[in-house]
Amino acid sequence: MKPLLNDILPLKQWLTDHSDFLKITGPCSAETPEQVNSVMENLASLPGLHYVRFGVWKPRTRPNSFEGNGKAALAWLRNAAKETGLKQMIEVADAQHVEAALEAGIEALWIGARTTVNPFSVQNIADALRGVDVPVFVKNPISPDLPLWLGALERVHASGIRKIVAVHRGFTSYDAHPYRNAARWEIPLQLKGMIPELPVICDPSHIAGRRDLVPEVAQKALDFGMQGLMVESHPNPDSAWSDAAQQLSIQDLPDFWARLEYSTSSGPSPEFNDRLWALRKLIDSLDEDLLNVLARRMEYTREIGQHKAEHNITLFQLERWNEILESRTRRADELGLDADFIKTMWMDMHQRGLEVQAKALESLRKTEISQKE
Ligand code: PEP
Ligand code: MN
């Protein structure tokens, strides 16, 4: 899968302060002119803020929830922006939203998680963006589907957008616990690995779903080298019209930003780099050992399969399997390894082994049939 994205503009080249880290905050929804004014006034003193986010059209899971104030809110936003000079961004879900936002002079747009899942909608938005120079942020789709996210980024990029950013906001999952959405960090990291020049930022609010958990998710995003944060905040979060549980109080933002620790992707000193290099070499050599052991294990699995097939024994032996799971997770625990992780690994390995054995059985049967014929 070769990504169709080139000439992506680095953040430094289009953020007016030449920063390579995006700082975005604002309420889930634009609720009233007074709330919009209060947000803008209060955020004006927050240092280094690039955009104030607002939901103007809200994609709500159930009907009869607050679905946003639409076009009317665009006028409130622009009015309040005049006073502060802060830039604003909103969510767009179709071509009409894009046109209305651009006409109002909104400085950046984002495509929400429920829209990214639908290639028709994304294409519709991308068509409306043709020939326009506006930063576009693409949130991950709600399903943990990297190609779908990549496809949305490619559609937006193909319309000529070069100021493009991916936003990791977590994935719907029945076991996201303790968060609202499962983080699945490997997915945004894989995206970054495929397109290193693509800025990938995090929306810790929609991952956490709870105000008290937002800082730890935000910190993790920074530890993974993400290039910015979009954080929901509200002048009075408890009475917010949407996502009340997860919005930070605007008053708490200076403290929230101050507590985050930033790491750099390259080492601060030659000593640091030497040590990192040495440790990585150790990991490389252990990985080589692991792969050799896995190959040898699979060889024995194949032999056992052969043996079972020759004696007409079922491939799956429940007792043996239970004993393996029990003893390996117990040992993992003794070694200080995460038992769930080891269990998943062994289940995958066992499944692969069974597939290999089934293949061997199938080819043995084929030879027997052809010998009989
Ligand atoms: C939002 O940002 O308020 C929002 C609805 O986000 P998402 O698309 O990530 O659910
Ligand atoms: Mn929200």
Side-chain angles (χ1 to χ4, degrees):
M1 190 164 30
K2 196 170 158 26
L4 306 171
L5 289 101
N6 46 38
D7 305 329
I8 293 173
L9 269 189
L11 291 180
K12 268 187 195 308
Q13 281 184 30
W14 56 273
L15 290 178
T16 37
D17 61 355
H18 308 295
S19 164
D20 59 1
F21 188 89
L22 263 161
K23 217 166 151 177
I24 301 166
T25 191
C28 184
S29 303
E31 297 166 1
T32 61
E34 294 71 33
Q35 178 243 21
V36 171
N37 287 336
S38 156
V39 168
M40 295 299 285
E41 277 164 23
N42 283 296
L43 289 180
S45 56
L46 195 71
L49 189 61
H50 296 104
Y51 294 98
V52 183
R53 59 146 285 152
F54 285 97
V56 163
W57 293 279
K58 296 305 301 174
R60 303 311 298 277
T61 305
R62 308 274 315 277
N64 304 325
S65 316
F66 170 62
E67 294 192 324
N69 286 300
K71 269 193 171 179
L74 289 178
W76 310 338
L77 259 60
R78 298 325 283 168
N79 234 345
K82 272 192 234 133
E83 307 289 317
T84 61
L86 283 174
K87 292 182 175 166
Q88 297 165 330
M89 66 191 291
I90 65 162
E91 172 172 353
V92 289
D94 60 33
Q96 289 73 38
H97 294 169
V98 174
E99 278 149 24
L102 295 174
E103 201 180 295
I106 298 292
E107 286 90 354
L109 311 175
W110 87 80
I111 300 179
R114 289 167 191 78
T115 306
T116 309
V117 284
N118 185 339
F120 289 131
S121 301
V122 175
Q123 192 56 54
N124 185 250
I125 293 171
D127 291 343
L129 287 167
R130 201 163 286 284
V132 178
D133 180 23
V134 65
V136 178
F137 293 65
V138 182
K139 289 201 174 191
N140 65 255
I142 52 173
S143 47
D145 187 337
L146 178 57
L148 202 52
W149 194 5
L150 179 63
L153 288 157
E154 288 171 330
R155 286 176 200 277
V156 169
H157 177 270
S159 71
I161 299 293
R162 293 297 173 267
K163 297 169 186 164
I164 188 166
V165 178
V167 186
H168 169 228
R169 51 77 75 201
F171 302 89
T172 301
S173 164
Y174 284 108
D175 45 38
H177 192 77
Y179 302 139
R180 175 180 176 190
N181 286 292
R184 301 287 302 267
W185 295 99
E186 74 281 10
I187 296 178
L189 294 176
Q190 272 174 26
L191 180 68
K192 185 74 183 170
M194 286 162 106
I195 318 164
E197 59 283 13
L198 174 72
V200 180
I201 71 167
C202 181
D203 167 350
S205 308
H206 286 86
I207 293 178
R210 257 177 46 193
R211 168 154 57 252
D212 59 321
L213 298 175
V214 172
E216 66 181 49
V217 178
Q219 184 60 57
K220 208 154 195 181
L222 300 197
D223 295 344
F224 282 131
M226 294 206 175
Q227 278 181 275
L229 295 173
M230 179 198 275
V231 182
E232 281 190 340
S233 62
H234 192 283
N236 187 4
D238 284 330
S239 56
W241 296 8
S242 58
D243 287 348
Q246 72 194 27
Q247 302 199 57
L248 300 185
S249 164
I250 287 185
Q251 281 68 44
D252 294 338
L253 283 175
D255 191 49
F256 165 80
W257 287 104
R259 280 173 193 269
L260 291 172
E261 286 180 35
Y262 296 81
S263 38
T264 51
S265 55
S266 55
S269 67
E271 293 75 28
F272 169 87
N273 286 330
D274 287 350
R275 172 114 181 98
L276 186 65
W277 186 84
L279 288 170
R280 283 183 174 159
K281 284 286 139 207
L282 282 172
I283 292 274
D284 288 348
S285 111
L286 285 175
D287 280 356
E288 175 66 18
D289 291 350
L290 268 174
L291 287 167
N292 284 326
V293 169
L294 278 176
R296 270 174 30 222
R297 191 185 192 280
M298 198 49 97
E299 219 19 74
Y300 290 126
T301 303
R302 233 178 246 121
E303 267 184 48
I304 292 178
Q306 195 95 30
H307 190 55
K308 286 182 193 160
E310 283 163 9
H311 294 84
N312 232 354
I313 307 271
T314 53
L315 298 181
F316 180 61
Q317 303 275 317
L318 182 64
E319 262 168 52
R320 166 70 175 152
W321 172 229
N322 282 338
E323 181 237 309
I324 288 188
L325 259 197
E326 199 274 321
S327 62
R328 290 356 174 222
T329 47
R330 183 165 22 89
R331 181 72 184 126
D333 210 36
E334 284 164 13
L335 291 169
L337 291 165
D338 183 272
D340 279 340
F341 161 64
I342 293 298
K343 189 169 164 186
T344 315
M345 230 175 117
W346 253 259
M347 279 163 66
D348 281 350
M349 219 154 51
H350 184 246
Q351 187 53 37
R352 276 305 305 157
L354 283 179
E355 282 162 22
V356 165
Q357 292 187 346
K359 250 203 183 112
L361 182 59
E362 191 184 58
S363 72
L364 186 78
R365 287 210 181 107
K366 274 196 191 132
T367 352
E368 280 174 4
I369 293 171
S370 66
Q371 277 167 359
K372 275 185 203 151
E373 281 167 354

